[in-house]
Each structure stands twice: as structure tokens, then as C-alpha cells.
Amino acid sequence: MTASIHQAPTQRPLSLAQDGLHVLATARAIAAAHGHAFLTSNHILLGILETRGSLGELVLETFPIKIDQLKSRLWAYIRLDAGQDKEPYGGEFFGFALSEDGARAMSETVAEAESQGLEFIDSRAMILGMLRRPDTAGGEILRQFGVDADAFRARAALHESAAAPRPAKSSFKPRIATKRAKTRSPLRLPHISPIFLLLLVVFGGLGYMLYAGIGDPNKLTFIFVLAGWILAVSLHEFGHAIVAYWGGDASVAQKGYLTLDPLKYTHPLMSIVFPIIFLILGGIPLPGGAVYINRAAIRKTWMQSAVSAAGPIMTLLFGLFLLLPFILGLDEMTLRAHSPFWAAVALLAFFQIFAFVLNLIPWPGLDGFGILEPWLPPNILHYAYMLGGMGIFLFFLLFVYTPFGSWVGQSIWLIIDAISSQAAMMAYLGFDQFFGFFNFRLF
């Protein structure tokens, strides 16, 4: 298999462009982090996506696909095989040990470069190598996302000067495997998103209307709680992102995760469909955000756990902030005069405490599992990753149709009552206002 990676002797020697070396070094770091000795096409494709500004990723961004979803799929497959190489050694490519799958892809990469008359190999040629063969893992995933060889080749413009060969120096170290430079400037948070600020104004305005007794309290409570929930999700995901940034993942800043923009944390299923259905039908505050963290950039195991824990901690802090007036003690006159407002605040606080507890349950897809994930053995991770996106749906069924959900719900009420009996009483009233908007309650 090694020989198939080499070019024909009649061709001019191919060199590895700086872009290609960076990608392969990143791929090797990803493989090493998961106990793999040989690079597969999945490692290489993920290396392309995780190498900042790689030429292959720039071309893929011109397709109508979600790069973050593609990354998530690749991470899941790589983690499934953590701890052992699924395929045997297949050869070497510019000093990088390949699996048989990786060797097939790189053989086609060389063939593509030769057919195009190139003198160098970069990440664009590597993607084309995966797509040229139907039996490479990376190529199969790309085709599932609607990317084929002809379409990619048409957009790649392989002869443009952006890919001019620059022989790579062997001293290069991959970005994801290096520590942050000590000379790096202190964290400068981006400006807060105008969308977040506007949502904050809307949230405050709804709160004022409830407090002043303007409008239908049931409708206002429903909108107030949903607006507050979106704010809470933004804070939750910001918590993940800021700790990931401190841990070494600079990509979260580029993706806008540090701006508190709720649109940056949106996943169609996890952020919109499931949370709204669960909240409206059963009052189950399922966390609904989605940030994509480059775990390979976070070298310390404890910091990877801290990234997962940061979101629930932000949720807890927001919930305690809402409960603060009740903890300090509200006089009965104020409570009765503005009961719709305090009921809505107490309900939103209840949902935060509920979400905090739910998130700490070690179930695949929840942050509790993410906290334990770096410490779990590969055999347990294998079965956990097999659940994929079904994990949250199965958790919902377990919560609704078994005594487990009732036990958790009762525990949350006991926690709220222990913090403030006033808050627990008003949260009950808040439920009536919230579901009074629909005049029904399924669970």
C-alpha cells in the first residue's frame, strides 16, 4: 500500500504545501489524543476543518452545509474508535503514518495532483482524494453532506496562487496541540450582541408590564418566561465558550460565541424544536443551546470537564439571581400587589434550577455526561456515542413515562422550597399563568 501513495517516477516530485503540513500535523494531534497511531481520512478531514484558514475548509464553506455539524459528525466517529486503531497500517505520506483508509485517500490525492499538473499538495487536493474513491470514510461523510468530487473541483481553483508551494518546515507544531503562547494578549471580550441587548430590553419591558398590571398576565407571563429562557440559554452557552477560550480553544471567539448572541448558539433541533415542545407540553426546561468546542485544543483533562460544567454553573447563577428578592424576603403587601410579576419571576427561577439539576445528570447529550466524558473508558464512550442525537429524545421518554421524572420534579420543588418558601408558592402561581395562555396542560 505504501507504494501506491508514491507518484510515478516520470512526474516531477510533488511537495507538501504549508497548508497541507499544518492539516496533517493537526490530524496527527487529533489521532494521538484518541489513542490512534495511524491517520484515517476522518482524521485528515477533521484536521482540515480544525486548522484555521485551511484552503480545504474555505472551499467547503462555499457549499450550503453547516461546517459545525460536519465537525460534530467527525468527532463522534473518531471518539467511537477511541483507544485503538480500527484499520491496520497502510503506509506513510510525507512522514505521517496512515491507516489503509488514509492511504487510499492520499493515493487518490497524489493522482489528483498529477492529473491537474500540480507541483504541490494542499488540503484541497486531500479532500478531492477522499471524494475520488467511494471507499474512504471521509469521502462518504462529505457525500452525505452533498459534496461530490466534481462540484468541489469546480470551486477549488487548484491552480490559484493561494496554494503556491511553500515547502513546510518540519519544526511546525499543530495549533491544537500547542499551549497558548505566554505573550498572548489578555482576553478582550467582543462587544455584546445587539440582539442580546434588544432581548434584554424586551425582557425588562415585559417585566414592567407584569409589575404594573398592564395587559393579560397569562400572555405576558408566557412571553416573559420564553424571553428569559432565551437569555438564560445565551448565558449558559457563553459559560461553556468562555471557559473553552481560557482552556485554549480560540475558535469560540471566531464563531461569535463570546458575544452572547442567541443566534450563534442555535441548533435547529436542540435549540428550538425540542426545548419549546418540552417546555410547553410538560414544563420540562430542557437546555436548548449548542456550542461546538474544539476539544482537541483543550489539552488538560480537568479543563475539558470544566468547560462542560461552566454552562450549568451559569444557569444556577442566573436562577439564584432571580431568587435573590425572595431570599432577602418580600413583604406580603408587595407580593400581593404585584403577584403576576413575582409569580413569573419565580417560575423562571424554578426553570433555571430545574435545568441546572437536569444538566448535571450523566446522560449522553447533557453536560453531566460531558463532565465525566474525558475520564470514561473507551468501551463506555462507544455505547454512549452510539445514541447520538437520540440521547435527548430517549431521556425525554424516560422522564415523562417513568417514575424518574416525578422523582426529579419533586426534588426540584423541595430545593426551591428550601431556598425560599415564598418562591415555591409563587412558582406554583406562575405555572397557572404560564399554562393559562393555552388553557391546557398535558403532563
Side-chain angles (χ1 to χ4, degrees), residues 268-289:
L269 190 64
M270 295 297 297
S271 304
I272 300 173
V273 179
F274 278 173
I276 291 179
I277 290 176
F278 295 169
L279 192 64
I280 292 175
L281 296 186
I284 303 173
L286 183 74

Side-chain angles (χ1 to χ4, degrees), residues 218-300:
N218 291 349
K219 293 179 181 178
L220 289 174
T221 297
F222 178 79
I223 303 172
F224 175 83
V225 170
L226 284 188
W229 183 250
I230 297 173
L231 290 173
V233 169
S234 297
L235 293 170
H236 178 105
E237 302 304 333
F238 174 83
H240 288 309
I242 191 66
V243 175
Y245 185 89
W246 290 334
D249 181 11
S251 69
V252 295
Q254 299 170 345
K255 295 172 183 174
Y257 293 160
L258 302 181
T259 64
L260 288 167
D261 184 349
L263 297 180
K264 297 295 183 180
Y265 311 127
T266 300
H267 181 285
L269 190 64
M270 295 297 297
S271 304
I272 300 173
V273 179
F274 278 173
I276 291 179
I277 290 176
F278 295 169
L279 192 64
I280 292 175
L281 296 186
I284 303 173
L286 183 74
V291 293
Y292 296 91
I293 304 297
N294 178 9
R295 297 278 177 176
I298 304 171
R299 301 185 65 196
K300 296 180 180 178

Side-chain angles (χ1 to χ4, degrees), residues 202-228 340-341 343-345 347-348 430 433-438:
V202 171
F203 179 70
L206 291 167
Y208 172 78
M209 293 176 69
L210 278 167
Y211 190 86
I214 303 172
D216 184 342
N218 291 349
K219 293 179 181 178
L220 289 174
T221 297
F222 178 79
I223 303 172
F224 175 83
V225 170
L226 284 188
F341 169 75
V345 170
L347 178 62
L348 183 57
Q433 293 176 186
F434 184 83
F435 289 104
F437 177 68
F438 297 96

